[in-house]
Amino acid sequence: MSASRHSGTTDELGPDEPGRDGPDSGGPDLLAALLDGMDAALCAFDAEGVVTHWNREAERILGWSAEEAVGRRGLAGWAVRSADAEEVEGRLLAAMHAPGRQVHEFALLTKDGGRVLVRTQSAVVRGPDGKPAGVYCAFSEVHTQIDLERSIALSEALFEDAGWGVVLVDADLRPAVVNAHAARALGTGRTSVLGRPLGELLAQGVEELESALQHVLAEGAPPAPAEVWVSVRTPEGERRRCWRSGFLRLASPLAEEPVPLGVGWLFQDVTEAKQREQEASLLRFRAQQLHRASRAAAECEDPAEAATVHLDFALAGFADHALIDRVAGGALTHAEAGGPVRLVRVAATPSGAPGPSRLAGRAGLPVRYAEGHPALQCVERVGALRASAGAVPAEEARAWALARQWSPEAVHALCAVLRSRGRTLGVVTFLRGAGRSAFERSDAMYAEDVAVRIAAALDLAGVSGAE
C-alpha cells in the first residue's frame, strides 16, 4: 500500500486530512487508493527533495516498498547510482521552476541491484498560496512506453496513411471510426458515415457483411480474409465492388473478462483483379466449348445437324435461347444485300423447357419480321447487333419480345451474321431472360466466333443439297 509523510508539505501535495472535512471524509484513504490504482509508477518530492509518495507500480518496477522509499532524501545510493544522483535529482526538481511537464529518460536502480531505463514525466505541485511546494514524477519502463507509442503510432498511421480501408464497427454494427481510404470507398465523408447503419451505405451485400461482423463478435477473427461483393451507393449511381476483407475482434483490456468493443474491419478493393480473373476464366470456358463443339460437329453426317450442335454448345452459360434464320433463296453477296431481305427459320431451341435445338423451316416460309428488326439490320450491316428491352415492367418486356417473334421471356438479344465464302447466309440470334445481364462487347465477339462455325456448316449443307 502506498504511504505518505503527514507533514505540512504532504498536506499540500494531497487532499485535506480527515479533520478538515469531517471525521468520515477519508481523504488519505482515497488518495492511497487512487495512487495504487494507477497504471504508471508515481513518486513525489517535497521542496527539499524528500520522497513523500510512492505507489504500488513504483514498487513493482524498482522493488522498493513504500515504507522503504517514503521519507528518504533524494534518490542517491538506493534508487539512483551515487555518481548519477546529482544530475537526476537536479533534472527532476527543476520541474518546480519550469512550465508544463518535463520528460526525461534515465536509469534507476532496483532493490536487487539491477538497472532499469525509465521515461519520466515530472511537473510542479503548488501549495494553497500558489508557490511551488514540490514535484510529482510519473515514470514507466522505456520499453513499455515505446510499445504504447508504437501502438498509438500504428493506429494513427492506419487511420491516416493506410492504402486500404480501415473501419472500426461498434457492437451495434455501426461505423465508429473510418479512415480516409474507407470513406472514399464508401463514397462519403469520414464524419458523415459515423453511426449510420451499413444498409444506408451499401445497396447490396449488407446481409453478408453484417453476418461476417456478427460472427467475429461471437466467435473471433476468421483464419483468412474473405471476399465480399457489395454495391456502393454513390451520387453517380450504384457501383459493384469486391472487397477483400479481414476482421479482428476488439476487446477491452481493462475488463476482467474480455468484453467485445466491436470489430476492426480492414478491406482492400480487388474488383479489377477479380474481374480479370472472371474474364480469363470465361475465356477459357468459351474456348473449351468451341473446341468441344467442333469435335462433336465433326462426327455429324448431316451438316445442318452440325450447325445445331454448335448452337447447343454455345448456349451453355451464355444465353437462354437461340435461333438460326437463313436468307431465303440461298445467300446474299454485298451487291445483293441492298434489297429487301427475307429470313427463313432453320433451327431454334425450345422456348418452354430446356433441350437440344431442333431443325425447322422445311416448308421454307419466311419469318414475319417487321421492318427494322434487329435480325434484318444485322444482315444489312453485315455485323453483330445488340438489343434490349431495358428497365421496363414485365408486361412491356413480354410485348417487346413477342413483337420481334422471339421467346416471350426474352429481355436481351444479340444477333450475329452468318458469313461463308464472302456471302451472307443468315443470322444467329441469342436471347437472355430477365435473370441475366445485357450482352456486352465481349459477348458479341464470342457470338461471331460461333456464327463462323454455324455458317460453315450451313454452307456445307447447301453445297451437299445442290450436289
Side-chain angles (χ1 to χ4, degrees):
M1 180 176 180
S2 66
S4 62
R5 296 172 63 248
H6 293 285
S7 65
T9 304
T10 305
D11 292 339
E12 292 171 343
L13 294 175
D16 293 338
E17 294 185 4
R20 299 187 181 180
D21 295 327
D24 298 324
S25 64
D29 293 337
L30 175 60
L31 175 60
L34 290 173
L35 294 180
D36 285 340
M38 294 177 60
D39 292 331
L42 184 136
C43 64
F45 304 87
D46 62 15
E48 285 87 30
V50 176
V51 179
T52 59
H53 292 79
W54 191 267
N55 72 348
R56 286 188 182 275
E57 184 65 12
E59 179 179 348
R60 185 194 69 79
I61 293 175
L62 298 181
W64 300 97
S65 66
E67 289 77 8
E68 295 172 310
V70 172
R72 291 178 180 260
R73 181 178 295 276
L75 302 174
W78 63 284
V80 176
R81 292 195 314 170
S82 300
D84 301 330
E86 183 178 354
E87 178 188 358
V88 171
E89 292 175 7
R91 291 162 68 183
L92 290 177
L93 295 179
M96 283 193 295
H97 307 289
R101 290 180 296 177
Q102 305 296 308
V103 179
H104 304 286
E105 289 184 6
F106 43 73
L108 296 180
L109 293 177
T110 61
K111 188 175 182 178
D112 58 7
R115 300 182 70 194
V116 57
L117 185 64
V118 298
R119 179 173 295 177
T120 67
Q121 294 187 35
S122 54
V124 62
V125 177
R126 301 187 182 277
D129 56 358
K131 296 181 179 180
V135 174
Y136 79 83
C137 173
F139 63 92
S140 60
E141 297 175 82
V142 167
H143 70 83
T144 303
Q145 184 71 17
I146 291 176
D147 290 342
L148 175 61
E149 291 179 0
R150 283 174 178 161
S151 298
I152 296 174
L154 175 61
S155 299
E156 292 294 331
L158 285 175
F159 286 106
E160 295 297 335
D161 306 322
W164 53 87
V166 182
V167 180
L168 296 189
V169 182
D170 62 21
D172 295 327
L173 306 186
R174 296 174 183 249
V177 185
V178 178
N179 75 340
H181 188 98
R184 288 193 298 270
L186 292 168
T188 184
R190 292 185 64 179
T191 56
S192 59
V193 71
L194 303 182
R196 295 172 58 187
L198 294 174
E200 294 183 5
L201 306 171
L202 304 176
Q204 296 179 3
V206 178
E207 295 82 2
E208 183 179 0
L209 180 57
E210 288 184 343
S211 176
L213 295 172
Q214 289 172 346
H215 173 80
V216 174
L217 281 173
E219 305 292 337
E227 292 176 353
V228 182
W229 281 94
V230 299
S231 291
V232 183
R233 291 191 177 97
T234 65
E236 296 78 20
E238 295 182 4
R239 291 186 305 158
R240 184 75 170 159
R241 313 304 296 171
C242 180
W243 291 340
R244 181 169 292 154
S245 303
F247 303 95
L248 299 170
R249 181 167 63 176
L250 306 178
S252 173
L254 303 179
E256 294 183 3
E257 296 182 0
V259 177
L261 296 177
V263 176
W265 171 31
L266 293 81
F267 66 90
Q268 190 173 26
D269 194 321
V270 294
T271 307
E272 295 183 1
K274 293 299 294 183
Q275 288 176 342
R276 286 195 296 268
E277 291 178 9
Q278 292 174 351
E279 291 172 359
S281 177
L282 184 61
L283 287 175
R284 287 194 300 270
F285 174 74
R286 289 178 175 178
Q288 291 172 357
Q289 287 297 98
L290 291 174
H291 174 72
R292 292 167 183 163
S294 298
R295 296 193 59 178
E299 302 300 323
C300 297
E301 295 182 4
D302 183 359
E305 181 184 354
T308 62
V309 168
H310 283 291
L311 191 66
D312 291 335
F313 271 91
L315 277 180
F318 182 67
D320 297 318
H321 302 291
L323 47 92
I324 300 174
D325 296 326
R326 184 161 185 174
V327 174
L332 296 175
T333 63
H334 282 294
E336 300 169 338
V341 177
R342 294 184 303 167
L343 298 175
V344 178
R345 182 66 42 83
V346 175
T349 56
S351 59
S357 303
R358 295 193 296 263
L359 292 172
R362 296 186 183 276
L365 298 177
V367 185
R368 294 180 295 107
Y369 284 152
E371 185 179 354
H373 190 280
L376 299 178
Q377 294 184 44
C378 181
V379 173
E380 294 172 0
R381 299 178 183 180
V382 193
L385 186 144
R386 290 174 285 167
S388 178
V392 298
E395 290 300 324
E396 293 185 24
R398 180 182 177 87
W400 176 85
L402 292 177
R404 288 157 179 77
Q405 308 298 317
W406 289 333
S407 170
E409 298 85 11
V411 176
H412 312 291
L414 172 59
C415 299
V417 66
L418 301 176
R419 297 278 298 174
S420 178
R421 294 191 294 163
R423 301 173 303 152
T424 299
L425 303 183
V427 179
V428 57
T429 302
F430 296 98
L431 303 173
R432 287 179 178 176
R436 293 177 179 263
S437 61
F439 289 100
E440 299 179 356
R441 186 178 298 274
S442 59
D443 298 324
M445 295 174 62
Y446 177 61
E448 289 173 342
D449 287 342
V450 176
V452 168
R453 289 163 170 78
I454 293 176
L458 292 179
D459 196 14
L460 179 60
V463 171
S464 301
E467 291 175 352

